[in-house]
């Protein structure tokens, strides 16, 4: 749909061959600029270190391994580098128009897994907010968080028991801890309090996202840009705000 709207220059509701060819030419120029912005040493190839460096400039920190995963999704000849032909073929029919949109595409795809428990929430464009993409991402993160919390709930309970009851005189280990929990209330006791943990994930995620947007507005510079420090502070404050808001639920679990 985005390609159709961008290519339909006369806005007659149709995308004819000439308009489509013109769109491809214009889009190829934009992809060339994006390619050059990543090719820091101007050798005609993009390497993992260049991806890490370019994203760091834009305020996004990723590891070398994550950068290699990005390149693998584009690299057609298995050289672990991406030349212009591979880049063009991969993004020719992707409606992204600049490097920032390409990075957003990586973050929202399986190429770059940003995780579901980051301190800094994911950022969404106005278009994604209008189309409902933002709540789908939040819902997916909430469900994933609920599943992971449920799966690790017995270990969380065991950790608390070992912290409270473990001592030099009472050397509790993993096996004895599980036996004690089973003795207290059977298998169901392994997940005691997990319901509240699951319930609080949704409001915590929503509050974190909302607070992050508000703190970004407050800390945005006069030129409208948000630097790495501002993003870090916004994310830290958003995490603190969300955690403070749902703290009563944490107390009810304990």
């Amino acid at each position: 749909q985005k390609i159709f709207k961008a290519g339909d220059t006369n806005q007659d509701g149709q995308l004819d061959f000439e308009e489509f060819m013109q769109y491809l030419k214009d889009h190829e120029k934009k992809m060339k600029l994006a390619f050059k912005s990543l090719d820091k040493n101007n050798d005609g190839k993009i390497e993992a270190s260049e991806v890490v460096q370019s994203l760091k400039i834009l305020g996004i920190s990723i590891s070398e391994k994550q950068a290699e995963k990005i390149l693998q999704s584009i690299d057609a000849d298995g050289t672990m580098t991406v030349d212009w032909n591979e880049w063009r073929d991969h993004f020719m029919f992707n409606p992204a128009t600049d490097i920032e949109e390409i990075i957003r595409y990586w973050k929202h795809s399986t190429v770059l897994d940003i995780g579901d428990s980051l301190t800094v929430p994911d950022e969404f464009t106005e278009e994604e907010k209008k189309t409902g993409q933002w709540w789908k991402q939040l819902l997916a993160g909430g469900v994933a968080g609920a599943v992971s919390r449920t799966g690790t709930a017995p270990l969380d309970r065991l950790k608390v028991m070992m912290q409270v009851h473990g001592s030099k005189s009472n050397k509790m280990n993993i096996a004895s801890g599980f036996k004690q929990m089973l003795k207290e209330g059977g298998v169901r006791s392994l997940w005691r309090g997990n319901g509240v943990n699951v319930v609080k994930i949704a409001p915590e995620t929503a509050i974190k996202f909302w607070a992050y947007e508000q703190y970004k507005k407050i800390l945005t510079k006069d030129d409208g840009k948000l630097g790495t420090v501002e993003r870090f502070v916004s994310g830290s404050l958003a995490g603190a705000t969300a955690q403070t808001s749902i703290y009563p639920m944490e107390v009810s679990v304990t």
Side-chain angles (χ1 to χ4, degrees):
Q1 186 178 4
K2 192 173 181 179
I3 292 175
F4 185 90
K5 290 178 65 176
D8 185 19
T9 53
N10 59 11
Q11 297 182 348
D12 63 349
Q14 296 181 350
L15 185 66
D16 57 37
F17 181 75
E18 288 76 14
E19 288 176 326
F20 182 64
M21 291 303 297
Q22 187 59 49
Y23 166 81
L24 292 180
K25 290 178 182 179
D26 294 340
H27 190 61
E28 185 174 355
K29 292 177 183 178
K30 294 174 183 177
M31 290 301 98
K32 189 72 173 179
L33 291 173
F35 180 84
K36 288 183 176 180
S37 70
L38 289 174
D39 184 18
K40 298 298 182 183
N41 58 8
N42 296 317
D43 64 348
K45 295 180 180 180
I46 298 174
E47 302 172 358
S49 59
E50 292 175 319
V51 175
V52 173
Q53 182 183 355
S54 298
L55 268 63
K56 189 174 183 179
I57 294 173
L58 294 172
I60 302 172
S61 296
I62 65 170
S63 65
E64 192 90 11
K65 188 175 181 180
Q66 288 175 312
E68 289 175 356
K69 192 173 181 181
I70 290 173
L71 292 183
Q72 284 177 349
S73 68
I74 307 172
D75 181 23
D77 56 12
T79 59
M80 283 308 297
T81 59
V82 174
D83 59 28
W84 162 240
N85 290 330
E86 290 171 323
W87 179 269
R88 180 190 58 200
D89 293 345
H90 186 81
F91 285 106
M92 182 57 73
F93 295 104
N94 187 311
T97 57
D98 53 35
I99 189 62
E100 289 171 339
E101 287 193 13
I102 289 172
I103 292 170
R104 193 171 294 110
Y105 160 73
W106 284 336
K107 288 173 68 177
H108 290 177
S109 68
T110 56
V111 175
L112 182 57
D113 181 11
I114 63 171
D116 65 295
S117 58
L118 290 181
T119 301
V120 180
D122 198 6
E123 296 182 39
F124 302 101
T125 63
E126 290 301 320
E127 181 183 352
E128 288 170 331
K129 291 175 183 177
K130 290 178 182 178
T131 58
Q133 180 68 22
W134 67 274
W135 69 261
K136 293 179 183 177
Q137 292 287 334
L138 290 179
L139 179 61
V143 172
V147 172
S148 64
R149 284 290 181 91
T150 302
T152 59
L155 294 176
D156 283 334
R157 279 216 65 207
L158 177 63
K159 177 191 70 175
V160 173
M161 283 190 63
M162 294 181 72
Q163 289 172 338
V164 174
H165 301 294
S167 64
K168 290 183 179 180
S169 58
N170 181 23
K171 294 183 179 180
M172 181 181 292
N173 55 33
I174 295 176
S176 61
F178 274 119
K179 287 180 181 178
Q180 184 171 333
M181 284 191 291
L182 291 171
K183 186 177 179 181
E184 287 178 356
V187 176
R188 292 183 62 182
S189 68
L190 299 178
W191 281 270
R192 184 178 297 164
N194 183 60
V196 178
N197 274 329
V198 170
V199 169
K200 75 182 180 65
I201 289 176
E204 181 181 7
T205 305
I207 293 170
K208 190 184 295 183
F209 172 74
W210 173 83
Y212 182 55
E213 291 294 322
Q214 302 309 310
Y215 288 127
K216 279 198 307 178
K217 291 177 182 178
I218 295 172
L219 297 175
T220 298
K221 299 176 181 178
D222 295 334
D223 58 3
K225 293 183 179 179
L226 203 66
T228 304
V229 175
E230 288 78 11
R231 291 177 189 275
F232 175 78
V233 173
S234 297
S236 299
L237 291 174
T241 301
Q243 189 61 35
T244 301
S245 300
I246 57 95
Y247 189 71
M249 301 181 85
E250 294 276 6
V251 175
S252 70
V253 175
T254 57

